[in-house]
Structures are given as structure tokens and as C-alpha cells.
Amino acid sequence: MFRRLRAKLTVLYAGLFCLALMLIGASASFVITRNAKTLTAAELNQVSGSFTRDWSIRLAHLRGVAAHYANNHDLPRAAHDRDDPAIRAGLSGLRESASADLAFVITREGLIISESGARSSVSPGLQMALANGEVTPGIMSFGGTLYQAAAAPISENGGWLIVGERVDNERVAAFSELSEVPMRVAILARGTGGWSGQDFNTSDVLDAFIDRSWRTPQVEPLRTGEGPAQALATPLPSLDGTQAVLFECASLADMLSPYATLLGSLIVIGLAGLVFLVASSWFMARGITEPMSTLEYASRKLREGVYEAVTVKGRDEFARLAESFNAMVTALRERERRITHLAFHDGETRLPNRAALERRISSAEQPERLYLAAIGVDRFDHVRGAIGFALTADLMRKLGARLARLLPHAPLGRLASDVLGVAFIATSEADALKRARALVANLEQPVSLGEHNVDVHVTIGLAPPAQKGETHASVLERASIALDQTRKRRQKAGVYDGAAYGDPSRNLSLMGELRRALETGAIELVHQPKYNFRTGVIDSAESLVRWVHPARGPISPELFVPMAEETGHIRALTEWVLERAVAEQKILSDAGWPLTLAVNISARLLGDGDFIERAAEIAGPVRHKLCFEITETAVIDNPVSALVNLELFAASGLRIAIDDYGSGLSSLSYLKQLPAQELKIDKMFIQNITSSQRDALLVRSTIDLAHGLGMYVTAEGVETPAAFSLLAGMNCDLAQGYLISRPVPVDELITLLSDERRLRFYKQTAAGAPNLAEARNDPKTA
């Protein structure tokens, strides 16, 4: 609601002040009104008491006068003799001597004799009162006029003498002057239309009020046409039954009018105080909010990364808060400087890191000619193992300093623990390669580490300039890929080859489709048969997996099998191959060809105990007709668990074959320990066996070595009759390759096994006299 604290404080203080004024005003109004009502009630009761005493005195006087003249011998005698002139004369004298306004005689016959003559109308109320002897002095209505009257019995006659004094409204109203409170006083009598009197007209409110007071006379509030008032109705005694009251009414507005000036003064003082309070609150709040505004502004700038110190005068809490804020800003500035330095520098070498390099090349000039070089230290792990982590970090730091001297002002950074990155301008790819080779020559100079010189060998991978829309992070990634590609090509400098790298995102999506392909049958199992030189028949085959993608067509196992190994899908794929191999081995056996099927087992699975149990369970029904092919590298990576699990396989009756022997780091010690029954010579030796005496010698020696260890030997990649015949002469046990057959599904394998012509061709070729024309013309052996 309030955007500024100054306004909030001002409104708050003003509101509290107004509330206090309202409470004071309400309290004062309540007290004044209550006191006014109390004073009014007291004055009304006082006037009522004064009137009642005066009324009683007047009635006592009239009663004494009536009693005196009623017992005077002249009036009783005249009344007894019915001497009307004498009665009128006596009444006239009585009225003049007693200062009465009314005097008349009522005979025992009920006639009224007054100064004006005789009449026969006596009010029923007076007649009843006289008949009952209840002659209490009081109000009486005679001729439509109200009188204070008293009655006395006339002796010797039985009649009554009535003496009265007219009710003087002005005299009654004069009683109001006895009060300090302005009020009106009058005598009201009940008529046919209700209660009325001087200056008071009949109304329902007035009638209801007097009717209540008639029973319990007390001061009560009364709503008049002039506003709220306090009133009192005191019943008056009656001589003839006429109902009359002394009515007093005091207006509260008149009563409170003297206080109007006081209330007005209070309002004026309150408004003046409010104005003063608002002004003083505004300036006082300014003294509070101005330091806070300064701190708020500095905090907002701090959020935006701008460090500004604040100055607050004084020694109060705000000044101390400003000092703390300035100390915090100083600490944050220093901390941010350190964090920024750590964010863009390598912790070990203090060289710029990958993020710093990316930031610098993003702002470099001539980006269309900017080549990025990833410089990797060869055999970094061995170097670090030899000299230690500390000296290795020093080595990378000095290489970075040397690179900075060779390419001053060029963006430089450490991309990985063993890789430095640098960007430079080149006119073409050839120019970039030339400069990269020059960098290699300069960087491979010995590096001095303390008292020793260390020889360094580096490889450089180059990434071409970024294309439109490409990020600099992708350029850094291509440089790292180019470094790996260059090392595989055994070169010192090379450029990124996009065609060789392919599309990683597209290849990675294959892994999501691999499991679905296993479920839908898009992946199938094919078998490449092995010819047994000793028996002259095909008695075994290698089971291989093939995938025909619905959109991409046939996918090479060399692509999706390594990816399955890296992503963890290899176990599901291998278990599927095992299950299919067991099922199709049964199909072959039922067809009369109980071949032994060989399945490749990934190195990633040899150390997985759960897989070993599952594989043995799957192979259970045909374990003596299954062979697991493993590479020697798989054992070298994890020799302890691999050898234990291979022993379990061999103990359960499964055959073990060593695949691709000679392609890796072959070790005679592992060859001696492996519980294998078969050794497969890699095709790289077989393909050149007829043209290379060295390869032929290696193959023969390997065959003799395997036989000496009690193992069968399989030659892979046999594609020519000459190689086939030469292997037969070397006492090789089995031949596998395109000359025998390409990998085929199980139904085609059954057809191939039934082909007698093919078997005769194999035997003739093994004997050294192959019919080459027949071999060329036979489509099954092509």
C-alpha cells in the first residue's frame, strides 16, 4: 500500500493521533452529556419539589379559608334558609378577603350557588367525591378552567363550600427560573384528545411518557421536535377527579450549548495538533528513512553487482549498520573477485580454464578465421605416475607459459588435466596445420622441473572456425574430438573429421530403440559356419547379431555393440543372443545337425556375477553345445574375477574360445591360465598368409603353440581357396570365413549343411587341388 516508509510512518502517527483525539472527544462528549443529564435530572427534581411545596401551601391556605367560612354563622344560616342573595354576598366577601378566584356553594340537593347565580350542573367527579366524603384539596376543572380548590362542609346545612384559585400558567412557568438549567414548566391535564396544556400540544410521545410517569414519576429521556430532552411528569392531587400533572422538560441541546465552544476549541486544537504532528512526523521520519533509503539504494546496486559504500552521519544504530554494510560490501567484493578468479582459472596451474577460454573466443576478432587447437600431453598418466601430481601441475603450468610466449595475446586455457587449448588466426586449414606442427616442435622441447629436465610429447587436434549459429562450446568439443582422432591416426597434428565422428545424438538414439528392436524382432541372429579340417564337415558356427533398422536400414554391429557396452545395454543384448542361440541350437538338432554354436561375451560382463549366473541358467539345456568366445583383452582388464567366472563356465560344461588372438596385447601367461578349449587367430594374419612369409610363420607357430596347450585352432577371415589349402597343410583345426559361408539365418544354415557339392569343394580345396572354376561359378561359394 505504501511504497515509502516516510509516508507510512506519517500516516501511522497521524492515524494514532486522530484515534487518540476521537477517544478524547468521545470521552469528553460522554462525560459532558452524562453530567448534563445528571444536572438536568437534579434541577428537574428540585423544581418539582419547589412547586410541590408551593402547591401544598396554596392548597392548605384554600382549605383553611373554606373551613373558616363554612363554619361562619352567616354563610351556614344563609345556606340553610336558601337565602341566595345572602349566599352570593357572603361568597363575594369571601373571595375578596381570601384573594380567591372562585367560590361557590353546593347544596345538599346538588345545586351550585355562585356569585353569578344558581346552576344545577355539578361534575360527576366532584359529586362523587362529595358524596363519599373524599374531599382532598387539589386540581379541579370548572367552566373549562383549572383551579386549585379545597372543599369544606357547611355546618347546619349538609352542603359544601368550594374555594378555588385559578391555575396561573405564568406563575407555574416562573418556577423554571429557579433552575440553572433552561427548562419549561407547565401543568397538563388529560382531555378527550390526550394530555395538553400551555405550549404543549397532544402527541403520542407525550401521552406515552406521561402515562408511564403517572405510575412511577421519575426523570426520563424524551424525544421532542427540538431534539433529545430530559422530562419529569409529577401527578397533582385532584378534587373532582381531573387528571393533571406538573410537566417539566429541559432540552439537552440547550444544556450542552455552553459546551459547544469547548468542543469547537478542542476540534480546532486537535486539527492544529494533527497538522503539526503530520509535519513533525514527516521530518522525523525523514531522519529515520533517509539512512534506510541510502542503504536500500546501495543494496539494490549490490544486487546488480555494483559495490558502493554508504555514508550515514551520526553514532546511532543506522550509522553502525552502515559500517557493517560497508564491511560486508568489502568482503563480498573480495570474495567475488576470488570466486571469479576460481571460476575462470584452473586451481592447480592458475591457468585460464575452459570457461575462460570459451568467453575469450566468443569476443575474439575475425571468428571466421579462428581455429581452436586442443594440445594433449601424450602418456600423461604415466608422466604423472612418474613425477607426481605437484610436478605434473608445474609441468602443465610451464607448458601454458611457453604457449603464451609462442602465441602472445591468443586466448588460452586448460581444457582437461592433460589438455591445453589455444585459439589462433589462420588463413586456411593447411595454414592452421602448419602452425600446429610448429607449435608441436616448440612445445616438445624439454621442460625444466627443479633440477631435472622432462621430455614432453604432445598431440594437437584442430577444430575449424565456428559456423553460423554454432556455440563456442561445440567448437571446444570438436577440438577435443580432433585430438582423439589425431592420436588414433598416430599423427602429431590433425583436423576434426566430422564424417568419421558421425552424429553422436543420432547414434545415441539407437540405444533407446535397441530394446524395442529386441522386442519387435528387428534384431535377428545369424550363424557363420566353421569347417572342421579333421572331420571334413561343418560341425560348429559362430552366432552373430544383426539389426535391420526400419528407417536407417542395416546397422553395423561395430556401431551399436560398442555403444551398447558404453550405455549398459550390452547385458540385455547378450542375454537375448544366448536365449536365441539356445532355441536355434535345438532347431538345428531337431533337423539332424547338432552344431556347437559360439556366442561372443563382452568384456564388460565377465566381472558381473549376476550375469554369470543368468548365462549359466540360460545355457543349461544345451550347455555342451554352446561356446563362449571372449577376447584376451577382456581378461587383462579384470584378470581375477574374469578367470574365476571362466572357470565356472568351464566347470559347467561350456566351451571357452579365445577370440581375435594376436590383435591385441597377447600374453602367454594369460594364455596358460585361461581354461579355453579353442583359440581363434585374428583375420589380419589369415588374409595375408599366402603373400607374407612372416604372417604364415606366425600362424604356423600359433597353431603349434595352441596344440601344445591342448586347444583347437580356428582361423578367422578365410576368403580364398589358397589360404584354405595352406591352413589345412598347417594342421589348423577349423576354418571360418566367407569362403565357407557368410553369416546366414538358421533355415539357410540347414540348407547349406545339406549341400553335398559344397562339402566336396571344401574337401578338394583342403587336399590342395581345388576346382577354382567351380568355386568361381558356384554362387554358394562366391
Side-chain angles (χ1 to χ4, degrees):
M1 180 177 180
F2 296 99
R3 296 184 60 88
R4 301 186 64 183
L5 181 61
R6 184 188 302 181
K8 183 177 181 180
L9 290 175
T10 302
V11 172
L12 178 63
Y13 291 152
L16 292 175
F17 183 76
C18 290
L19 179 62
L21 284 180
M22 291 175 62
L23 291 175
I24 293 173
S27 300
S29 176
F30 173 77
V31 171
I32 291 173
T33 303
R34 186 182 63 179
N35 291 339
K37 289 181 179 180
T38 302
L39 178 60
T40 301
E43 293 297 321
L44 290 175
N45 287 321
Q46 179 182 354
V47 170
S48 176
S50 298
F51 179 83
T52 301
R53 288 191 295 273
D54 180 75
W55 181 272
S56 299
I57 292 172
R58 296 295 298 171
L59 286 179
H61 169 70
L62 292 175
R63 184 170 52 186
V65 170
H68 172 75
Y69 281 95
N71 292 315
N72 188 291
H73 294 289
D74 292 336
L75 184 60
R77 187 168 45 253
H80 182 269
D81 296 338
R82 287 296 305 272
D83 186 357
D84 291 347
I87 292 174
R88 286 194 291 271
L91 292 173
S92 176
L94 181 153
R95 187 175 55 80
E96 291 178 358
S97 61
S99 299
D101 296 320
L102 176 68
F104 62 89
V105 174
I106 299 176
T107 66
R108 59 177 176 269
E109 291 84 8
L111 293 176
I112 295 177
I113 301 174
S114 63
E115 292 181 71
S116 59
R119 68 177 66 178
S120 59
S121 58
V122 177
S123 65
L126 179 59
Q127 186 177 1
M128 184 178 297
L130 294 178
N132 295 331
E134 298 176 356
V135 288
T136 302
I139 198 79
M140 182 186 70
S141 176
F142 188 80
T145 304
L146 293 179
Y147 294 90
Q148 277 184 291
I154 301 175
S155 60
E156 301 179 2
N157 180 268
W160 292 84
L161 173 62
I162 307 299
V163 179
E165 183 177 341
R166 183 184 296 109
V167 174
D168 189 355
N169 287 323
E170 295 182 358
R171 184 169 178 271
V172 172
F175 276 92
S176 63
E177 298 178 359
L178 300 176
S179 171
E180 297 180 358
V181 176
M183 66 173 65
R184 290 188 298 168
V185 182
I187 292 178
L188 306 181
R190 181 189 291 274
T192 56
W195 294 90
S196 62
Q198 186 181 14
D199 296 332
F200 289 93
N201 297 322
T202 301
S203 67
D204 295 337
V205 176
L206 183 62
D207 291 348
F209 175 82
I210 296 177
D211 288 341
R212 288 196 308 273
S213 298
W214 188 266
R215 294 186 295 272
T216 55
Q218 59 183 355
V219 177
E220 292 184 9
L222 174 66
R223 174 66 63 175
T224 65
E226 299 175 357
Q230 294 277 92
L232 175 63
T234 305
L236 298 177
S238 175
L239 177 62
D240 61 352
T242 299
Q243 293 183 348
V245 294
L246 175 66
F247 181 74
E248 303 166 75
C249 180
S251 174
L252 287 178
D254 295 339
M255 183 63 183
L256 295 175
S257 59
Y259 300 99
T261 303
L262 175 61
L263 292 176
S265 300
L266 287 177
I267 293 174
V268 171
I269 294 172
L271 291 176
L274 179 63
V275 172
F276 175 76
L277 178 67
V278 169
S280 59
S281 299
W282 180 264
F283 287 104
M284 182 177 64
R286 179 183 178 183
I288 296 175
T289 59
E290 187 171 352
M292 296 183 66
S293 299
T294 304
L295 289 169
E296 188 270 337
Y297 174 77
S299 300
R300 189 168 61 251
K301 301 298 288 186
L302 179 62
R303 183 181 60 188
E304 297 172 357
V306 179
Y307 297 98
E308 290 187 358
V310 297
T311 302
V312 177
K313 298 179 180 180
R315 297 182 179 179
D316 56 6
E317 290 83 354
F318 287 111
R320 293 193 294 273
L321 179 61
E323 293 177 359
S324 300
F325 180 84
N326 292 335
M328 180 186 70
V329 167
T330 302
L332 284 176
R333 184 188 294 112
E334 176 61 22
R335 191 173 301 145
E336 183 176 4
R337 186 193 64 78
R338 292 171 57 193
I339 291 174
T340 303
H341 184 271
L342 291 174
F344 293 104
H345 289 80
D346 179 61
E348 288 184 331
T349 62
R350 296 188 294 278
L351 292 172
N353 59 12
R354 188 186 190 96
L357 178 59
E358 183 178 348
R359 185 172 66 169
R360 286 201 60 189
I361 63 176
S362 64
S363 59
E365 298 179 355
Q366 300 180 335
E368 70 281 356
R369 299 170 55 192
L370 189 67
Y371 284 79
L372 180 63
I375 305 170
V377 178
D378 297 336
R379 299 178 61 82
F380 181 80
D381 292 338
H382 297 279
V383 174
R384 184 170 56 191
I387 67 176
F389 281 83
L391 289 178
T392 304
D394 192 24
L395 171 66
M396 295 301 295
R397 181 167 55 252
K398 290 188 176 182
L399 283 177
R402 182 179 295 179
L403 188 61
R405 288 193 299 272
L406 294 172
L407 295 173
H409 311 297
L412 169 69
R414 189 180 186 186
L415 301 182
S417 59
D418 61 337
V419 180
L420 297 175
V422 66
F424 56 84
I425 301 296
T427 57
S428 63
E429 185 175 302
D431 182 35
L433 279 172
K434 180 180 178 181
R435 300 192 66 178
R437 293 187 182 100
L439 286 176
V440 170
N442 285 278
L443 291 174
E444 288 190 340
Q445 299 297 321
V447 177
S448 176
L449 298 177
E451 299 179 355
H452 306 283
N453 291 330
V454 177
D455 292 332
V456 179
H457 299 279
V458 298
T459 301
I460 296 181
L462 291 172
Q467 302 299 317
K468 185 176 181 180
E470 280 190 319
T471 62
H472 299 288
S474 63
V475 178
L476 292 173
E477 182 180 358
R478 285 204 302 271
S480 300
I481 296 170
L483 175 61
D484 294 336
Q485 292 176 337
T486 304
R487 282 173 169 169
K488 289 181 180 179
R489 293 193 296 263
R490 300 182 183 275
Q491 297 174 344
K492 299 302 288 183
V495 183
Y496 170 77
D497 186 352
Y501 184 63
D503 187 354
S505 61
R506 187 180 181 192
N507 293 335
L508 186 60
S509 66
L510 289 176
M511 293 301 97
E513 301 174 11
L514 177 61
R515 186 173 292 276
R516 291 194 296 271
L518 294 174
E519 298 172 354
T520 59
I523 291 181
E524 63 177 353
L525 200 64
V526 295
H527 310 278
Q528 188 172 32
K530 301 177 185 178
Y531 178 77
N532 192 320
F533 288 106
R534 298 183 183 276
T535 62
V537 297
I538 295 175
D539 59 1
S540 60
E542 182 179 2
S543 298
L544 302 169
V545 66
R546 293 292 184 266
W547 183 5
V548 181
H549 194 275
R552 300 173 59 174
I555 300 177
S556 172
E558 295 180 356
L559 174 62
F560 70 84
V561 171
M563 292 184 65
E565 289 182 330
E566 295 298 329
T567 57
H569 291 77
I570 190 62
R571 176 171 175 176
L573 179 61
T574 305
E575 289 180 358
W576 181 89
V577 171
L578 281 174
E579 291 172 352
R580 292 299 304 163
V582 170
E584 295 189 1
Q585 202 283 332
K586 187 176 184 302
I587 294 175
L588 290 170
S589 297
D590 293 343
W593 306 98
L595 271 63
T596 298
L597 298 182
V599 177
N600 289 283
I601 303 298
S602 171
R604 298 295 179 92
L605 299 176
L606 281 182
D608 188 346
D610 293 338
F611 169 76
I612 300 302
E613 295 179 3
R614 177 60 180 158
E617 179 183 351
I618 295 172
V622 293
R623 66 182 63 189
H624 297 291
K625 287 296 182 180
L626 280 184
C627 177
F628 285 174
E629 294 188 2
I630 56 101
T631 61
E632 192 178 16
T633 306
V635 180
I636 294 174
D637 290 342
N638 193 0
V640 178
S641 61
L643 290 173
V644 171
N645 292 331
L646 288 176
E647 291 287 351
L648 293 176
F649 282 147
S652 65
L654 290 164
R655 290 173 57 85
I656 304 297
I658 301 175
D659 196 13
D660 300 333
Y661 183 79
S663 61
L665 300 175
S666 300
S667 171
L668 293 178
S669 62
Y670 284 115
L671 188 62
K672 179 183 68 172
Q673 297 179 56
L674 291 175
Q677 293 82 30
E678 183 179 345
L679 181 69
K680 300 184 71 175
I681 302 176
D682 190 80
K683 63 183 180 180
M684 64 180 290
F685 297 102
I686 304 301
Q687 289 173 347
N688 298 321
I689 193 173
T690 58
S691 59
S692 172
Q693 177 122 13
R694 185 183 294 271
D695 286 351
L697 180 61
L698 289 173
V699 171
R700 174 181 286 278
S701 62
T702 301
I703 293 173
D704 293 340
L705 175 64
H707 287 165
L709 293 176
M711 291 187 288
Y712 290 93
V713 178
T714 298
E716 294 183 297
V718 180
E719 299 179 356
T720 64
F724 185 83
S725 177
L726 184 58
L727 287 169
M730 292 180 179
N731 292 325
C732 186
D733 299 297
L734 300 167
Q736 177 183 349
Y738 284 176
L739 181 66
I740 311 302
S741 173
R742 291 178 178 272
V744 294
V746 65
D747 53 348
E748 295 184 25
L749 179 59
I750 293 174
T751 302
L752 183 148
L753 293 172
S754 305
D755 190 348
E756 294 294 337
R757 292 174 56 198
R758 182 181 293 271
L759 291 177
R760 285 198 304 271
F761 168 74
Y762 295 152
K763 291 180 181 179
Q764 293 173 359
T765 305
N771 187 342
L772 299 180
E774 182 181 358
R776 285 195 295 269
N777 295 330
D778 188 353
K780 295 182 180 179
T781 60

